Amino acid sequence: DSLDYKIKNRRVGLYSAAVYGVGLVGLNALWYNDYERIGLHSFNDNQEWLQMDKVGHIYSTFTLSKLSYELYSHKDEKSRNQALLYSSIYSFAFLTTVEVFDGFSKEWGFSWGDFAANTSGISLFAAQEYFFKRQIVQLKYSFYPTDYADLRPNVLGSSLLEKAFKDYNGQTYWVSVNLNAIHSTVKPRWLSIAFGLGADQIIFADQTKSSFNGTEYNANRQYYLSLDVDWEQIETKKKWLRWVFKVANCIKIPAPSLEFQSGRNVQFKSLYF
């Protein structure tokens, strides 16, 4: 058993290294190919995009840590801690490399704000797993295409895949809390409440700019309250289905939601994603 355990984790390490390499090549093609490279430098982008990009970094490292952790065998306390360490290192290495890519791009630079957000996402996952042996708070993502991306497709994305990464107008990030974990009398066990953060009319990174092609845009944050499902609390003996549930738990389900936005009345959305 011990030998099988070591062999499996070595394989996971090799697969992770391969995914790391392929992922960076793909990211370079998707994000950086069209921009000039210069010497390594940093810049302060903490006031840009209404901080939606920072929330995206927190979500990305949380999710990467979670899924890579599940690939390792963790049959006892020691192996769980090792898996937690390896997954945290992997997530940190991947997103820090992305920051270094940014640091060599003339368009951007190494962002200490992004670095802090990356560390926060890893820490949120690791702390919950270490102290509670489960994720009481899940971070989730949802997206719908918007017309804003068509205004600046070179920045906000031209294809659906690019828009999912770049158009903050269509992205919503969620903090989904399992109610049964808060109080064991709450049933069913998978019922969660979700708090969402989105944005609207973001055309520029710099929010001091508001006019584009003669039209004024008022960038603002949107807040949501909704119901959700903690898929990992649905019991099943099928290993493949448990993995489906773990991946599904990275995405917020469409559900009735309340939207709160500055200067507007609370809006009820019968189905929001």
Side-chain angles (χ1 to χ4, degrees):
D1 289 346
S2 177
L3 181 60
D4 289 343
Y5 155 75
K6 290 180 179 179
I7 291 174
K8 179 184 177 182
N9 281 354
R10 284 173 184 166
R11 287 175 178 171
V12 171
L14 291 173
Y15 295 153
S16 298
V19 171
Y20 174 80
V22 172
L24 291 179
V25 170
L27 184 66
N28 182 64
L30 177 69
W31 203 279
Y32 299 100
N33 263 358
D34 297 332
Y35 297 98
E36 182 182 347
R37 309 295 175 88
I38 60 174
L40 182 64
H41 63 289
S42 65
F43 82 136
N44 185 347
D45 64 341
N46 292 336
Q47 301 305 314
E48 295 185 352
W49 301 114
L50 293 181
Q51 294 79 48
M52 285 293 292
D53 57 326
K54 301 296 179 283
V55 180
H57 278 267
I58 295 172
Y59 166 80
S60 297
T61 47
F62 176 90
T63 303
L64 189 57
S65 295
K66 172 184 172 181
L67 296 181
S68 57
Y69 171 80
E70 294 297 339
L71 290 172
Y72 289 95
S73 292
H74 28 80
K75 60 181 181 178
D76 53 33
E77 189 73 19
K78 180 180 178 181
S79 59
R80 279 196 296 270
N81 290 339
Q82 286 180 338
L84 193 55
L85 176 62
Y86 295 155
S87 63
S88 297
I89 291 174
Y90 177 74
S91 301
F92 183 82
F94 188 91
L95 270 298
T96 300
T97 304
V98 173
E99 291 310 314
V100 173
F101 278 5
D102 280 353
F104 283 103
S105 173
K106 185 177 181 180
E107 184 75 11
W108 300 287
F110 186 97
S111 168
W112 288 105
D114 287 353
F115 183 84
N118 294 339
T119 305
S120 299
I122 295 169
S123 300
L124 177 61
F125 172 79
Q128 290 189 95
E129 202 62 42
Y130 185 81
F131 290 109
F132 305 117
K133 305 296 187 293
R134 64 177 293 187
Q135 299 297 304
I136 298 172
V137 174
Q138 301 273 359
L139 299 187
K140 302 191 178 186
Y141 165 89
S142 63
F143 173 78
Y144 64 91
T146 74
D147 295 333
Y148 297 113
D150 297 332
L151 299 176
R152 301 187 70 204
N154 58 318
V155 174
L156 301 178
S158 54
S159 68
L160 182 60
L161 179 61
E162 285 187 343
K163 291 175 183 178
F165 279 97
K166 296 182 178 183
D167 182 12
Y168 297 114
N169 299 284
Q171 299 174 6
T172 306
Y173 292 98
W174 302 85
V175 175
S176 183
V177 182
N178 182 272
L179 296 177
N180 180 265
I182 303 300
H183 203 292
S184 59
T185 60
V186 178
K187 303 294 180 184
R189 289 184 59 190
W190 47 259
L191 182 62
S192 297
I193 187 169
F195 305 91
L197 174 65
D200 188 40
Q201 299 189 42
I202 297 184
I203 309 300
F204 301 98
D206 182 0
Q207 296 314 303
T208 61
K209 300 178 182 179
S210 60
S211 178
F212 184 78
N213 288 345
T215 302
E216 291 292 324
Y217 294 92
N218 179 29
N220 56 87
R221 295 184 181 89
Q222 299 164 311
Y223 304 93
Y224 298 92
L225 178 64
S226 183
L227 296 176
D228 193 29
V229 170
D230 186 347
W231 292 98
E232 291 169 73
Q233 296 308 309
I234 299 177
E235 296 184 2
T236 177
K237 295 181 179 180
K238 298 182 183 297
K239 187 176 180 179
W240 67 268
L241 190 54
R242 286 199 298 271
W243 256 105
V244 170
F245 287 160
K246 290 180 187 300
V247 174
N249 234 12
C250 301
I251 305 296
K252 169 71 169 65
I253 65 166
S257 304
L258 293 176
E259 178 189 318
F260 305 86
Q261 189 173 157
S262 178
R264 296 174 59 180
N265 294 329
V266 176
Q267 295 189 32
F268 174 74
K269 296 181 177 294
S270 58
L271 200 64
Y272 179 79
F273 181 67

